[in-house]
Amino acid sequence: MNQELSFETFRYFLECYFNVSTNYDELEKIIDDFNSSENLKYRQSLKAELELILQLGNWDIVQRFVKKYGMRKMNEEKLKWLIQHVLCNLELSK
């Protein structure tokens, strides 16, 4: 299963917003920045990719993906928390 190509917006989010230089306690601000800086198309794309990741449930692939593009080693529980937190805070109305 090669789903990496489908996660381009998540990769962008990891590389440009939630990269290794940011702390977990900054996640709210990072999501707010993403919401205010990115157009609706990108916010919807990130939502779709994160929902697909949850649906697939292949956490080994997600862990490798996050390690490669976000330079973070996260366990399954932390990954689920991150994805759910971003999903709950994405603004999709404007």
Side-chain angles (χ1 to χ4, degrees), residues 3 6-14 18 27 31 34-35 42-59 62 65-66 79-90 92:
Q3 291 293 330
S6 302
F7 301 148
E8 290 180 25
T9 311
F10 185 43
R11 176 180 174 178
Y12 171 69
F13 180 80
L14 291 172
F18 193 56
L27 187 57
I31 297 168
F34 186 83
N35 283 327
Y42 285 108
R43 295 192 312 265
Q44 289 172 331
S45 177
L46 180 59
K47 178 183 185 287
E49 290 176 12
L50 295 178
E51 288 174 341
L52 178 60
I53 288 170
L54 288 175
Q55 182 182 13
L56 292 173
N58 191 331
W59 299 107
V62 180
F65 188 89
V66 170
L79 285 170
K80 286 179 182 177
W81 171 84
L82 171 69
I83 291 168
Q84 301 250 356
H85 198 73
V86 173
L87 277 171
C88 289
N89 290 287
L90 280 174
L92 302 171

